[in-house]
């Protein structure tokens, strides 16, 4: 039996601002993880990653990060990715300012 | 204070305009990230978790008020109104936009500052004793040598692409406040029996994945031999140093694998050739540099006001007793300003605080400031008659925390709140420990105790040389904190011993509390420091306090 694929979100930092972005299901790069496209198919994920790697004038370092669906929204499975959705814990800076 | 020559200024400005064009090409898409990355790193620009980070050098930790004000201005105009001082005597801005960075560098160049040698496999910004030029126990000010090393190493073609980064630290005192034994090269100014100046040279120290205490390669190197000798060390490193494995590339591994005696022989062999190439120009230059580090024009004034305030104001007395160090002029004091108020982020200063410190240095401190590797700010030359006014101004700016050297004076690296390499957070751990011991009102009773926290094995938070070291790790997707005990970053440098299994994010503060309570019970008097007690008793009683359940299980 094929190994189950852990669903992924496609994420990167924006070239100019440096902030974290995610690919949504309409192909836009958005700021919030809960709007991200949870990709459940490995081949699709890899195709999207290959496309993102070509967006050099928009993104830095795109990669696929593990995530899961909870109550209808994708959430990260690792704490590092969870911190990336918010910002630092010592100040309300970064994305959490808008949340 | 060293002021840049025309050559330095032009070099600095040229670098900025080159970088401006590189940024433009990157934004236009003419450079890929792969091509751009080494260029931005050469200019101190990193990409972290949430944003870019610009790391600005404060060479050998020395600043004046104009520089500090510029740092404040940059924090306001291009960042979030604060900066983070690091264990490398740098300042980091956590939120710059890529396209603003050339302007930030231009602003820095106006006050002879830059972000050169803050990244990459080159000889990094030289660090030094933060009490340099002021300490009572100093043999000689180490900063002229540090400046000579800066001029020698900046853009030195032979050392621009080393196997790995290379860090040099220098002190002019027998008391080591610059952690010289945990650097690739550590230098200590000293005099020989005839009174001639020279250096003890230590090589192969370093923290990180494989922590090592540096070894003495020569106990006394005559002053004029310094640059050819260092070049010889670097050449031997360039020949022997491993490039096959990043984790084995630092000179500490080269020294460890080849043995200090082999390295010494090879260096001395090289030195015969190198020495002949130095005709004395470097020594002339050093003499010129020295004139720019002349001691301040000390003033004379009555100490009556100071003595009266010291007797009358308890809070001032506690500040004086904790935050002041002995100055070489007995009417002066070295003032350490803690930027580690309980619950705040270690090493962070707001732009307003930077301006207050700049004003105070200008008004009361002969316009000099220092940044310490312990992430505090120092006004090194304050006449005692000015101390009370200075203190009151610090109180007004929320900068008068009297905790230097105490349990809440914690080194913490940025960890996973910012750093892309981190495996766990370190800042909130530092904040919680400081707040907890403040609540317990135990800080003064505990006395001197250095806690140092790193958010990954790279050890920027110097955890190996913390009396209590904390290393944040990722254990199966959960933050986990490993404790080491008995580390020491001083002249008696030692690497701390692993205490046992790590603790979760919620359990690490109670664990630290158990260690401290064990110390309070174990010490033979209030005078015996944590480190002394640890050295006397060893790990066992602390381990029993840390892991009480294991003891019960064994019974
Ligand atoms: S020790 Fe690790 S987490 Fe901390 S600043 Fe250094 S690289 Fe980042």
């Amino acid at each position: 039996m094929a190994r189950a694929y852990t669903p992924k979100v496609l994420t990167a930092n924006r070239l100019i601002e440096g902030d974290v972005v995610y690919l949504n299901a309409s192909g836009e790069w958005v700021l919030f993880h809960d709007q991200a496209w949870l990709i459940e198919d490995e081949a699709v994920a890899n195709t999207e990653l290959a496309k993102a790697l070509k967006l050099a004038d928009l993104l830095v370092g795109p990669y696929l990060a593990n995530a899961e669906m909870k109550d209808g929204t994708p959430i990260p499975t690792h704490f590092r990715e969870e911190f990336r959705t918010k910002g630092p814990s010592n100040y309300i800076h970064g994305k959490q300012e808008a949340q | 204070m060293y002021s840049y020559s025309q050559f330095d200024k032009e070099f600095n400005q040229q670098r900025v305009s080159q970088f401006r064009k590189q940024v433009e090409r990157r934004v236009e898409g003419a450079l890929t990230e792969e091509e751009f990355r080494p260029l931005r790193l050469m200019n101190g620009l990193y990409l972290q978790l949430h944003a870019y980070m610009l790391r600005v050098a404060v060479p050998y930790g020395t600043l004046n008020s104009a520089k500090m004000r510029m740092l404040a201005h940059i924090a306001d105009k291009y960042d979030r109104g604060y900066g983070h001082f690091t264990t490398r005597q740098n300042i980091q801005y956590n939120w710059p936009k890529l396209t603003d960075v050339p302007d930030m560098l231009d602003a820095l160049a106006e006050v002879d500052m830059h972000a050169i040698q803050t990244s990459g496999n080159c000889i990094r910004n030289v660090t030094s004793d933060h009490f340099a030029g002021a300490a009572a126990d100093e043999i000689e000010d180490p900063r002229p040598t540090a400046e000579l090393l800066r001029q020698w190493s900046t853009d030195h073609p032979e050392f621009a692409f080393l196997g790995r980064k290379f860090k040099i630290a220098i002190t002019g005192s027998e008391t080591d406040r610059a952690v010289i034994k945990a650097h690739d090269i550590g230098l200590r100014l000293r005099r020989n029996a005839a009174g001639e100046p020279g250096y003890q040279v230590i090589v192969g120290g370093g923290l990180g994945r494989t922590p090592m205490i540096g070894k003495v390669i020569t106990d006394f190197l005559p002053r004029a031999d310094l640059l050819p000798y260092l070049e010889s060390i670097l050449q031997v490193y360039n020949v022997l140093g491993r490039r096959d494995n990043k984790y084995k590339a630092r000179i500490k591994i080269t020294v460890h694998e080849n043995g200090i005696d082999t390295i010494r022989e090879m260096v001395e062999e090289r030195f015969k050739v190198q020495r002949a190439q130095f005709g004395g120009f470097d020594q002339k230059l050093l003499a010129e540099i020295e004139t720019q580090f002349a001691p301040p024009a000390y003033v004379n004034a009555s100490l009556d006001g100071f003595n009266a305030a010291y007797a009358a104001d308890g809070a001032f007395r506690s500040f004086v007793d904790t935050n002041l160090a002995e100055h070489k002029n007995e009417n002066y004091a070295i003032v350490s300003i803690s930027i580690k108020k309980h619950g705040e982020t270690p090493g962070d200063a707001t732009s307003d605080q930077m301006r207050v410190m700049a004003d105070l240095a200008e008004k009361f401190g002969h316009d000099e400031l220092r940044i310490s590797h312990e992430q505090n700010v120092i006004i090194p030359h304050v006449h005692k008659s000015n101390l009370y006014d200075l203190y009151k101004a610090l109180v007004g700016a929320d900068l008068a925390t009297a905790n230097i050297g105490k349990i809440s004076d914690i080194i913490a690296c940025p960890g996973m709140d910012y750093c892309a390499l981190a495996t766990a957070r370190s800042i909130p751990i530092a904040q919680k420990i400081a707040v907890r011991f403040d609540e317990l009102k135990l800080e003064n009773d505990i006395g001197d105790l250095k806690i140092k926290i790193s958010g990954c094995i790279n050890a920027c938070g110097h955890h190996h040389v913390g009396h209590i070291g904390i290393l944040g790790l990722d254990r199966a997707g959960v933050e986990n904190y490993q404790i080491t005990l008995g580390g020491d970053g001083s002249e008696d440098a030692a690497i701390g011993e692993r205490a046992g299994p790590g603790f979760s994010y919620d359990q690490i503060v109670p664990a630290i509390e158990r260690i401290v309570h064990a110390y309070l019970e174990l010490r033979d008097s209030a005078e015996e420091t944590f480190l002394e007690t640890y050295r006397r008793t060893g790990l066992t009683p602390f381990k029993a306090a840390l892991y009480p359940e294991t003891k019960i299980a064994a019974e």
Side-chain angles (χ1 to χ4, degrees), chain A residues 13-20 56-57 59-60 78-80 83-84 86-91 93-94 97, chain B residues 26 33 47 49-52 80 82 95 97-99 345 348 416-418 420 423 425 428 474 477-479:
Chain A
N13 291 77
R14 280 206 295 201
L15 173 65
I16 310 279
E17 294 79 6
D19 48 8
V20 174
D57 53 349
L59 303 174
V60 185
H78 190 276
F79 61 91
R80 183 179 195 268
F83 296 148
R84 285 181 79 241
K86 293 189 285 212
S89 47
N90 58 335
Y91 303 113
H93 287 165
E97 279 178 287
Chain B
R26 175 70 184 97
E33 183 60 20
L47 182 61
L49 282 184
H50 313 292
Y52 287 97
R80 306 296 307 250
Y82 76 101
W95 302 96
K97 263 169 68 173
L98 174 61
T99 40
T345 304
D348 279 11
M416 206 183 271
D417 287 304
Y418 298 92
T423 43
R425 285 172 292 175
D474 173 352
V478 182
E479 287 169 293

Side-chain angles (χ1 to χ4, degrees), chain B residues 250-536:
Chain B
R250 295 286 289 266
I251 196 173
K252 63 187 173 188
I253 307 290
T254 319
V255 171
H256 183 71
E257 287 183 348
N258 294 278
I260 185 72
D261 296 329
T262 308
I263 300 285
R264 185 182 297 114
E265 273 169 35
M266 288 180 72
V267 166
E268 272 161 20
E269 207 47 47
R270 265 319 300 168
F271 177 70
K272 288 179 198 151
V273 181
Q274 287 307 113
R275 185 67 186 87
Q277 294 179 14
F278 281 76
F281 175 74
D282 58 314
Q283 292 307 300
K284 256 196 242 150
L285 184 60
L286 179 61
E288 270 167 42
I289 293 170
E290 270 171 349
T291 61
Q292 299 201 45
F293 286 95
Y298 294 125
V299 293
N300 275 318
S302 156
L303 298 183
D304 293 350
F306 165 72
N307 290 329
Y310 184 82
D313 182 339
F316 176 57
R317 194 156 59 239
S318 137
F319 178 84
V320 167
D321 293 346
T322 309
N323 289 32
L324 264 51
E326 229 181 301
H327 195 283
K328 54 176 76 166
N329 178 321
E330 60 177 15
N331 294 325
Y332 274 67
I334 301 171
V335 178
S336 291
I337 302 172
S338 164
I339 41 177
K340 300 189 191 161
K341 189 183 167 192
H342 305 94
E344 299 292 336
T345 304
D348 279 11
T350 65
S351 54
D352 285 341
Q353 290 177 327
M354 290 183 213
R355 276 186 281 267
V356 168
M357 293 188 279
D359 291 348
L360 293 175
E362 192 171 41
K363 193 162 172 198
F364 299 123
H366 298 270
D367 204 25
E368 287 207 33
L369 291 146
R370 307 271 197 276
I371 307 304
S372 74
H373 80 270
E374 293 178 321
Q375 302 179 284
N376 289 311
V377 179
I378 285 100
I379 304 187
H381 310 293
V382 183
H383 192 276
K384 287 179 181 169
S385 64
N386 289 321
L387 279 172
Y388 197 43
D389 286 339
L390 178 117
Y391 165 75
K392 285 185 286 189
L394 289 174
V395 171
D398 215 9
L399 282 169
T401 310
N403 65 347
I404 296 293
K406 300 285 193 280
I407 193 166
S408 62
D409 184 9
I410 299 171
I411 289 185
C413 79
M416 206 183 271
D417 287 304
Y418 298 92
C419 178
L421 303 173
T423 43
R425 285 172 292 175
S426 30
I427 291 169
I429 305 294
Q431 291 173 306
K432 285 181 202 214
I433 294 172
V435 167
R436 180 63 186 144
F437 283 94
D438 195 35
E439 280 165 10
L440 292 171
K441 297 287 161 238
L442 276 177
E443 183 148 32
N444 286 326
D445 190 19
I446 297 162
D448 290 346
L449 203 172
K450 292 184 196 289
I451 297 185
K452 302 182 198 275
I453 312 176
S454 304
C456 82
I457 193 113
N458 289 332
C460 304
H462 294 186
H463 64 277
H464 297 112
V465 293
H467 302 164
I468 300 176
I470 303 176
L471 165 63
L473 294 169
D474 173 352
R475 283 275 180 263
V478 182
E479 287 169 293
N480 186 275
Y481 294 88
Q482 217 170 67
I483 294 176
T484 47
L485 295 173
D488 181 358
S490 77
E491 58 282 5
D492 306 315
I495 302 292
E497 275 177 278
R498 266 277 297 280
F503 295 87
S504 69
Y505 183 80
D506 292 327
Q507 286 308 310
I508 184 67
V509 180
I512 299 300
E513 221 177 300
R514 290 202 292 282
I515 296 172
V516 172
H517 280 294
Y519 154 64
L520 292 175
E521 270 171 38
L522 287 164
R523 67 181 178 188
D524 59 16
S525 73
E527 275 67 56
E528 193 181 55
T529 64
F530 176 87
L531 197 56
E532 286 162 357
T533 304
Y534 183 83
R535 286 189 172 152
R536 176 171 58 77

Side-chain angles (χ1 to χ4, degrees), chain A residues 36-54:
Chain A
W37 173 21
L38 189 72
I39 311 175
E40 302 194 36
D41 183 296
E42 185 166 5
V44 175
N46 290 337
T47 310
E48 291 301 329
L49 175 61
K51 279 201 258 171
L53 283 164
K54 296 209 176 96

